Amino acid sequence: MAGRGMVSDKGGTRAEFYEHKITSYFIFACIVAALGGSLFGYDLGISGGVTSMDYFLKEFFPEVYKRKQEHLTETDYCKYDSQILTLFTSSLYFAALISTFLASHVTRNSGRRASILWGALSFVVGSVINAGALNIAMLVIGRCFLGVGIGFGNQAVPLYLSEMAPAKIRGSINQLFQLTTCLGVFIANFINNATEKHTWGWRLSLGLAAVPATLMFIGGIFLPETPNSLVEQGRLEEGRRVLEKVRGTKNVEAEFQDLVEASEAAKAIKHPFRNLLKRKNRPQLIIGALGIPAFQQLTGNNSILFYAPVIFQSLGFGSSASLWSSTITGGIPIIATLISMAFVDKYGRRAFFLEAGTEMIICMVAVAITLALKFGQGVELPKGIGIFLVIMICIFVLAYGRSWGPLGWLVPSELFPLETRSAGQSMVVCVNMFFTALVAQCFLVSLCYLRYGIFLLFAALIGIMTCFIYFLLPETKQVPIEEVHLLWRKHWLWKSYCEPEDQLNDGLL
């Protein structure tokens, strides 16, 4: 369905009358909000690097350090198998999972900007605690504060970007979140490379997380609220003024009326989480709230980013070599995201999901076969095989970085109507963080016991999720965000769930 000339529930056609210009006000708002992605990305990059640093392991995980030294130049799937070590990483994601429900309440009632500010503040606190940690308990407490920051930020930022962006460029603008996530990973890897040789290096790596969070908090003070949120809060005149300023034109009547109508529908919903379970919202629940955020983590990509230094050391690379290898894999997603930003609003979301999914399956199978044939306990990995594995992982990350990485946040933020948008995004973050924590907690032990089979498992899961997209997701490119719900009425499966309420009982079944 095209993104213009659609018929609204009120019977009019408004999307074709939307107007916009790219203004400095709009650019400032998007850049500041997108810094939320850098918090997530910096942690992704820092965590894996810090957990492979000798001084960090000696201070907090001496058994892992001893095991590492015993197999320093040899391959060993189980070198880093420690549930306490992985708890250091995954505790953040469990905290983010829980905090996102509070974030939903704040986002809906106080606005997207309030959640962004609270998220930045919590992240600063967590960074300071981690930098000064004296024991594992302090590390975990600090990680929990970081998790609250990410829970709030990841809940609000994708919504903020999608609501601020004009329909024709919403895909590119929303992917600023993924771009800053990738930049955070990339910068974090360089910082790890610079600090790994110093006894205090891990403290600096963890403490510098406060820098992007501070920038986001200061910028957030001057950040405008989205017109959608202002209208939802009943601040109609202010909402219209912000919409005019963001769009760079006074001629916003058509878009503003769509926001008002969506707000009227939202106000009728007293229990948005319960409303998500209604039959008419089944497509958004299954695709946006459950399927895509779960599958995004089950690709295995974030596990590779978490533990890239650990993986490369387990494959026989030295400590410095593994950090530089992981820096390369951290830089590739930046290129991939730029590719996606440039073309996602032209070729659509489905095309990127399907093409990249096929590529990712091939890479995972190639890695699994190579490890099965060439990788054994106590045997040093040949240099040529090591290079091949790094190349395969890079191609995999490039494919993920232009598909499931950015689109895993973009598409869910597009699917929910205003009345369930905040609750829906909380479900997205909750499911995403649950599977992030689950995979983070289980990946190293799975690598230890499943060995190369873990990569075949990821390949099979990517095959399932590619079919999921092919059969269930309609194309959303250039469709105004308040009209996306109309797509379900023409879908071969979902149209039966979207019958008018006078024809179908809008119940829970």
Side-chain angles (χ1 to χ4, degrees):
M1 181 179 289
R4 59 187 302 274
M6 293 186 200
V7 180
S8 75
D9 289 333
K10 301 294 183 182
T13 58
R14 296 204 185 104
E16 61 184 1
F17 300 113
Y18 287 13
E19 294 183 12
H20 76 274
K21 299 175 184 176
I22 303 299
T23 65
S24 57
Y25 187 73
F26 169 74
I27 293 172
F28 166 78
C30 291
I31 290 176
V32 171
L35 283 173
S38 67
L39 310 186
F40 190 34
Y42 186 86
D43 182 78
L44 283 174
I46 282 295
S47 299
V50 165
T51 53
S52 72
M53 290 183 183
D54 289 345
Y55 291 111
F56 177 80
L57 292 175
K58 279 195 289 186
E59 185 156 351
F60 297 103
F61 304 96
E63 291 184 3
V64 176
Y65 174 75
K66 181 180 178 181
R67 194 186 312 150
K68 173 185 173 181
Q69 296 305 306
E70 290 173 352
H71 301 274
L72 193 61
T73 60
E74 298 175 352
T75 56
D76 187 345
Y77 282 109
C78 303
K79 202 183 285 188
Y80 291 88
D81 179 23
S82 168
Q83 288 300 294
I84 301 298
L85 179 59
T86 52
L87 179 62
F88 164 74
T89 297
S90 59
S91 58
L92 180 150
Y93 302 101
F94 286 120
L97 183 157
I98 296 171
S99 67
T100 188
F101 292 104
L102 175 59
S104 173
H105 178 79
V106 174
T107 300
R108 187 179 190 196
N109 294 285
S110 301
R112 285 56 166 149
R113 175 176 170 270
S115 283
I116 290 172
L117 288 172
W118 279 112
L121 184 61
S122 180
F123 205 85
V124 170
V125 173
S127 302
V128 172
I129 293 175
N130 271 349
L134 300 176
N135 50 52
I136 294 177
M138 285 187 70
L139 284 176
V140 173
I141 291 171
R143 295 286 292 170
C144 288
F145 273 98
L146 295 178
V148 172
I150 286 178
F152 272 77
N154 286 18
Q155 202 275 346
V157 171
L159 288 187
Y160 188 95
L161 294 173
S162 286
E163 290 181 347
M164 291 293 275
K168 290 185 178 180
I169 58 171
R170 187 175 63 245
S172 298
I173 296 301
N174 184 278
Q175 289 190 54
L176 286 172
F177 179 79
Q178 178 68 13
L179 179 62
T180 56
T181 299
C182 296
L183 286 170
V185 172
F186 189 63
I187 292 170
N189 280 317
F190 270 105
I191 290 173
N192 282 338
N193 291 333
T195 62
E196 64 157 333
K197 299 297 184 183
H198 303 281
T199 56
W200 43 262
W202 64 269
R203 294 187 184 276
L204 182 61
S205 290
L206 295 177
L208 285 176
V211 174
T214 301
L215 292 175
M216 189 170 82
F217 182 82
I218 294 173
I221 295 173
F222 305 98
L223 202 63
E225 186 54 83
T226 70
N228 309 61
S229 180
L230 291 170
V231 171
E232 186 179 19
Q233 296 173 54
R235 299 152 65 183
L236 299 184
E237 290 303 317
E238 186 179 354
R240 186 183 181 103
R241 286 197 302 271
V242 172
L243 184 61
E244 291 174 354
K245 201 168 182 180
V246 169
R247 296 291 179 258
T249 177
K250 295 285 186 180
N251 191 13
V252 296
E253 184 63 29
E255 186 171 1
F256 184 72
Q257 284 304 312
D258 277 346
L259 295 184
V260 171
E261 290 178 9
S263 176
E264 290 172 353
K267 289 177 180 178
I269 304 300
K270 302 301 181 184
H271 305 286
F273 282 100
R274 187 183 303 171
N275 194 60
L276 270 176
L277 300 177
K278 289 188 175 182
R279 182 182 176 88
K280 68 176 183 179
N281 291 322
R282 199 62 50 79
Q284 296 95 318
L285 176 67
I286 292 175
I287 299 176
L290 299 175
I292 289 179
F295 284 143
Q296 186 190 47
Q297 298 308 315
L298 293 175
T299 58
N301 181 79
N302 276 1
S303 294
I304 291 173
L305 291 181
F306 282 148
Y307 300 115
V310 172
I311 290 172
F312 289 130
Q313 284 192 22
S314 293
L315 296 179
F317 290 78
S319 179
S320 296
S322 69
L323 281 172
W324 281 110
S325 298
S326 63
T327 300
I328 295 171
T329 58
I332 287 175
I334 299 175
I335 300 172
T337 303
L338 291 173
I339 293 172
S340 188
M341 290 176 68
F343 298 109
V344 73
D345 286 315
K346 179 178 181 181
Y347 296 109
R349 286 65 162 148
R350 284 171 53 85
F352 276 87
F353 271 129
L354 300 177
E355 181 277 328
T358 303
E359 203 171 312
M360 291 160 68
I361 293 171
I362 294 172
C363 288
M364 286 292 96
V365 171
V367 169
I369 292 174
T370 303
L371 293 179
L373 296 176
K374 298 293 183 179
F375 189 47
Q377 295 275 3
V379 179
E380 186 173 353
L381 197 69
K383 183 177 180 180
I385 298 299
I387 293 173
F388 174 77
L389 288 173
V390 171
I391 292 173
M392 285 295 100
I393 290 175
C394 286
I395 294 175
F396 175 88
V397 172
L398 182 65
Y400 174 90
R402 65 178 187 273
S403 58
W404 282 96
L407 301 186
W409 294 105
L410 166 62
V411 174
S413 72
E414 297 177 317
L415 297 183
F416 300 101
L418 186 60
E419 64 262 28
T420 60
R421 190 167 297 154
S422 180
Q425 187 65 18
S426 285
M427 286 294 297
V428 171
V429 177
C430 176
V431 173
N432 186 286
M433 292 303 156
F434 174 78
F435 280 93
T436 302
L438 181 67
V439 173
Q441 192 68 24
C442 297
F443 179 74
L444 288 182
V445 67
S446 299
L447 183 65
C448 177
Y449 291 102
L450 293 180
R451 304 187 180 187
Y452 63 86
I454 188 66
F455 298 99
L456 291 177
L457 176 61
F458 283 136
L461 289 171
I462 295 168
I464 292 172
M465 62 188 74
T466 301
C467 293
F468 177 87
I469 293 296
Y470 180 80
F471 290 108
L472 299 183
L473 180 68
E475 184 55 66
T476 60
K477 69 172 182 178
Q478 300 187 7
V479 180
I481 195 168
E482 303 303 348
E483 295 188 356
V484 169
H485 68 279
L486 299 174
L487 296 174
W488 311 118
R489 298 180 184 178
K490 292 191 175 182
H491 189 272
W492 67 274
L493 174 63
W494 302 126
K495 64 182 179 181
S496 63
Y497 291 85
C498 302
E499 297 293 336
E501 292 187 7
D502 59 348
Q503 297 180 28
L504 186 65
N505 180 26
D506 191 12
L508 294 177
L509 299 178

